[in-house]
Amino acid sequence: MGQSQKVSSGRSGTGIAGGVTARERPSPGALRLANVLGTALLLAMVAGQVASGLQPRPILLTSVVVLLLAAAALAFGTAAHGFPRAAAAFGATVLTGYAAEWIGIRTGLPFGDYGYTDVLWPRLGGVPVTVALAWGGMGLAAHAAAAAASPASRAGRIVLGALALTAWDLFLDPQMIRLDLWVWHDPGPYRGIPISNFVGWLVVSSLVMALIDTVVAVPDARGTGLVAIYTVMAVMEVIGFAAVFDPPDPLVAVVGGIGMGLFAILAWRRRWRR
């Protein structure tokens, strides 16, 4: 009886409307459908990543992979929080990421002096749409990993989520520079990437995590699918940099693997213990 009361109390949440209403909760059928759809999209994303790593022009599938990532995150987010809150959290993250990129290419803040090449399309205001969508998909995944690792602490979720999302950029930036998708005008010490980039990522990611945590009513509610996205992305990136990309880059594989792997382990460890 006591455990039942604890679970019930934990689901009351402190989101936009102070909790999840009966109307917002997915029905069992809708929950299964969202999870099945999310799993199918995640598997398709993995297939797309494998195909992009094996072909001589991987850029052709980059946008497809990002679209599948975003769709899978939205599906799993729907299973965890209901579609209205999942869509609101995803939209807020996409808009925040877009705004940061729009400001960044014009002012150099908060990431540093960089610019996009002519490879990624379509664009809005000079920012590739796929970049904004990537912020949305991985933002939800990183928040879910943080919520699994620190379910009881809003500050913990925001800090861990921001670090988890920034850890992804340990892979992302070196890979995108390889593909000539953007360039740094003042190169830095990590594969030509300046330290200011990661400081900027922490700042923007903290805002993203705070927004998601506010929108969703129960931050750690059934986020297993989103944690799976984060974990799969980490594993695929390690394999890519260690053995698939030409030439391989063991340094990025190790640094990024430790960075993302830490948060994936923390998330799964807490879930297994529960």
Side-chain angles (χ1 to χ4, degrees), residues 202-222:
L202 275 174
V203 171
V204 177
S205 296
S206 296
L207 177 58
V208 164
M209 293 303 120
L211 286 171
I212 296 175
D213 210 78
T214 300
V215 171
V216 298
V218 187
D220 67 330
R222 299 187 302 274

mmCIF file of all heavy atoms in Angstrom, residues 202-222:
data_model
loop_
_atom_site.group_PDB
_atom_site.id
_atom_site.type_symbol
_atom_site.label_atom_id
_atom_site.label_comp_id
_atom_site.label_asym_id
_atom_site.label_seq_id
_atom_site.Cartn_x
_atom_site.Cartn_y
_atom_site.Cartn_z
ATOM 1 N N LEU A 202 27.069 23.942 -23.374
ATOM 2 C CA LEU A 202 26.591 23.797 -21.993
ATOM 3 C C LEU A 202 25.540 24.849 -21.662
ATOM 4 O O LEU A 202 24.528 24.553 -21.008
ATOM 5 C CB LEU A 202 27.761 23.898 -21.014
ATOM 6 C CG LEU A 202 28.551 22.630 -20.746
ATOM 7 C CD1 LEU A 202 29.766 22.933 -19.884
ATOM 8 C CD2 LEU A 202 27.667 21.585 -20.052
ATOM 9 N N VAL A 203 25.762 26.073 -22.113
ATOM 10 C CA VAL A 203 24.819 27.150 -21.830
ATOM 11 C C VAL A 203 23.471 26.881 -22.507
ATOM 12 O O VAL A 203 22.409 26.916 -21.873
ATOM 13 C CB VAL A 203 25.388 28.508 -22.293
ATOM 14 C CG1 VAL A 203 24.325 29.596 -22.196
ATOM 15 C CG2 VAL A 203 26.610 28.882 -21.463
ATOM 16 N N VAL A 204 23.514 26.594 -23.816
ATOM 17 C CA VAL A 204 22.273 26.355 -24.550
ATOM 18 C C VAL A 204 21.599 25.080 -24.068
ATOM 19 O O VAL A 204 20.365 25.033 -23.908
ATOM 20 C CB VAL A 204 22.553 26.276 -26.065
ATOM 21 C CG1 VAL A 204 21.270 25.964 -26.829
ATOM 22 C CG2 VAL A 204 23.148 27.592 -26.563
ATOM 23 N N SER A 205 22.387 24.046 -23.803
ATOM 24 C CA SER A 205 21.816 22.778 -23.338
ATOM 25 C C SER A 205 21.157 22.922 -21.978
ATOM 26 O O SER A 205 20.140 22.269 -21.697
ATOM 27 C CB SER A 205 22.909 21.705 -23.282
ATOM 28 O OG SER A 205 23.436 21.431 -24.567
ATOM 29 N N SER A 206 21.696 23.766 -21.120
ATOM 30 C CA SER A 206 21.070 24.005 -19.816
ATOM 31 C C SER A 206 19.695 24.628 -19.988
ATOM 32 O O SER A 206 18.730 24.256 -19.311
ATOM 33 C CB SER A 206 21.961 24.910 -18.960
ATOM 34 O OG SER A 206 23.195 24.295 -18.671
ATOM 35 N N LEU A 207 19.592 25.584 -20.911
ATOM 36 C CA LEU A 207 18.297 26.198 -21.201
ATOM 37 C C LEU A 207 17.333 25.172 -21.781
ATOM 38 O O LEU A 207 16.157 25.112 -21.392
ATOM 39 C CB LEU A 207 18.481 27.362 -22.176
ATOM 40 C CG LEU A 207 17.210 28.065 -22.648
ATOM 41 C CD1 LEU A 207 16.422 28.613 -21.471
ATOM 42 C CD2 LEU A 207 17.563 29.184 -23.631
ATOM 43 N N VAL A 208 17.824 24.339 -22.696
ATOM 44 C CA VAL A 208 16.994 23.290 -23.287
ATOM 45 C C VAL A 208 16.467 22.339 -22.214
ATOM 46 O O VAL A 208 15.282 21.989 -22.196
ATOM 47 C CB VAL A 208 17.807 22.520 -24.352
ATOM 48 C CG1 VAL A 208 17.125 21.194 -24.702
ATOM 49 C CG2 VAL A 208 17.984 23.358 -25.606
ATOM 50 N N MET A 209 17.344 21.908 -21.309
ATOM 51 C CA MET A 209 16.917 20.979 -20.265
ATOM 52 C C MET A 209 15.897 21.612 -19.327
ATOM 53 O O MET A 209 14.935 20.959 -18.904
ATOM 54 C CB MET A 209 18.130 20.498 -19.452
ATOM 55 C CG MET A 209 19.110 19.643 -20.224
ATOM 56 S SD MET A 209 18.365 18.174 -20.965
ATOM 57 C CE MET A 209 18.705 18.475 -22.693
ATOM 58 N N ALA A 210 16.088 22.888 -19.017
ATOM 59 C CA ALA A 210 15.132 23.569 -18.148
ATOM 60 C C ALA A 210 13.760 23.664 -18.824
ATOM 61 O O ALA A 210 12.721 23.472 -18.174
ATOM 62 C CB ALA A 210 15.652 24.960 -17.789
ATOM 63 N N LEU A 211 13.750 23.937 -20.114
ATOM 64 C CA LEU A 211 12.486 24.017 -20.843
ATOM 65 C C LEU A 211 11.781 22.664 -20.883
ATOM 66 O O LEU A 211 10.580 22.566 -20.610
ATOM 67 C CB LEU A 211 12.742 24.508 -22.271
ATOM 68 C CG LEU A 211 13.079 25.993 -22.433
ATOM 69 C CD1 LEU A 211 13.532 26.287 -23.854
ATOM 70 C CD2 LEU A 211 11.883 26.858 -22.055
ATOM 71 N N ILE A 212 12.514 21.614 -21.235
ATOM 72 C CA ILE A 212 11.902 20.286 -21.295
ATOM 73 C C ILE A 212 11.374 19.890 -19.933
ATOM 74 O O ILE A 212 10.257 19.372 -19.796
ATOM 75 C CB ILE A 212 12.916 19.243 -21.810
ATOM 76 C CG1 ILE A 212 13.326 19.541 -23.246
ATOM 77 C CG2 ILE A 212 12.326 17.832 -21.707
ATOM 78 C CD1 ILE A 212 14.415 18.637 -23.790
ATOM 79 N N ASP A 213 12.162 20.126 -18.903
ATOM 80 C CA ASP A 213 11.771 19.726 -17.556
ATOM 81 C C ASP A 213 10.528 20.465 -17.088
ATOM 82 O O ASP A 213 9.749 19.958 -16.277
ATOM 83 C CB ASP A 213 12.927 19.970 -16.584
ATOM 84 C CG ASP A 213 12.919 18.997 -15.425
ATOM 85 O OD1 ASP A 213 13.343 17.840 -15.608
ATOM 86 O OD2 ASP A 213 12.465 19.378 -14.320
ATOM 87 N N THR A 214 10.317 21.666 -17.598
ATOM 88 C CA THR A 214 9.133 22.442 -17.255
ATOM 89 C C THR A 214 7.906 21.956 -18.010
ATOM 90 O O THR A 214 6.798 21.906 -17.471
ATOM 91 C CB THR A 214 9.365 23.933 -17.546
ATOM 92 O OG1 THR A 214 10.475 24.398 -16.776
ATOM 93 C CG2 THR A 214 8.132 24.755 -17.215
ATOM 94 N N VAL A 215 8.114 21.576 -19.270
ATOM 95 C CA VAL A 215 6.986 21.187 -20.116
ATOM 96 C C VAL A 215 6.422 19.826 -19.714
ATOM 97 O O VAL A 215 5.208 19.653 -19.622
ATOM 98 C CB VAL A 215 7.411 21.169 -21.601
ATOM 99 C CG1 VAL A 215 6.315 20.548 -22.469
ATOM 100 C CG2 VAL A 215 7.716 22.587 -22.075
ATOM 101 N N VAL A 216 7.298 18.844 -19.493
ATOM 102 C CA VAL A 216 6.813 17.500 -19.172
ATOM 103 C C VAL A 216 6.395 17.452 -17.711
ATOM 104 O O VAL A 216 7.040 18.033 -16.843
ATOM 105 C CB VAL A 216 7.880 16.429 -19.474
ATOM 106 C CG1 VAL A 216 8.218 16.432 -20.942
ATOM 107 C CG2 VAL A 216 9.133 16.618 -18.640
ATOM 108 N N ALA A 217 5.303 16.749 -17.439
ATOM 109 C CA ALA A 217 4.766 16.739 -16.079
ATOM 110 C C ALA A 217 5.524 15.791 -15.168
ATOM 111 O O ALA A 217 5.719 16.071 -13.995
ATOM 112 C CB ALA A 217 3.287 16.340 -16.115
ATOM 113 N N VAL A 218 5.947 14.645 -15.702
ATOM 114 C CA VAL A 218 6.681 13.644 -14.913
ATOM 115 C C VAL A 218 7.966 13.359 -15.666
ATOM 116 O O VAL A 218 7.988 12.527 -16.573
ATOM 117 C CB VAL A 218 5.856 12.354 -14.738
ATOM 118 C CG1 VAL A 218 6.554 11.398 -13.783
ATOM 119 C CG2 VAL A 218 4.456 12.687 -14.229
ATOM 120 N N PRO A 219 9.056 14.027 -15.323
ATOM 121 C CA PRO A 219 10.269 13.964 -16.143
ATOM 122 C C PRO A 219 10.799 12.561 -16.406
ATOM 123 O O PRO A 219 11.324 12.294 -17.482
ATOM 124 C CB PRO A 219 11.276 14.792 -15.331
ATOM 125 C CG PRO A 219 10.421 15.766 -14.579
ATOM 126 C CD PRO A 219 9.183 14.993 -14.222
ATOM 127 N N ASP A 220 10.679 11.632 -15.434
ATOM 128 C CA ASP A 220 11.266 10.301 -15.625
ATOM 129 C C ASP A 220 10.223 9.255 -16.002
ATOM 130 O O ASP A 220 10.454 8.058 -15.867
ATOM 131 C CB ASP A 220 12.012 9.866 -14.367
ATOM 132 C CG ASP A 220 11.088 9.636 -13.176
ATOM 133 O OD1 ASP A 220 10.044 10.309 -13.113
ATOM 134 O OD2 ASP A 220 11.414 8.800 -12.319
ATOM 135 N N ALA A 221 9.061 9.681 -16.494
ATOM 136 C CA ALA A 221 7.985 8.746 -16.792
ATOM 137 C C ALA A 221 8.261 7.952 -18.067
ATOM 138 O O ALA A 221 8.294 8.517 -19.150
ATOM 139 C CB ALA A 221 6.656 9.508 -16.947
ATOM 140 N N ARG A 222 8.490 6.654 -17.927
ATOM 141 C CA ARG A 222 8.594 5.723 -19.053
ATOM 142 C C ARG A 222 9.478 6.250 -20.182
ATOM 143 O O ARG A 222 9.130 6.154 -21.353
ATOM 144 C CB ARG A 222 7.192 5.422 -19.616
ATOM 145 C CG ARG A 222 6.246 4.779 -18.620
ATOM 146 C CD ARG A 222 4.958 4.364 -19.291
ATOM 147 N NE ARG A 222 4.266 5.471 -19.923
ATOM 148 C CZ ARG A 222 3.410 6.286 -19.304
ATOM 149 N NH1 ARG A 222 3.119 6.099 -18.032
ATOM 150 N NH2 ARG A 222 2.820 7.276 -19.953
#
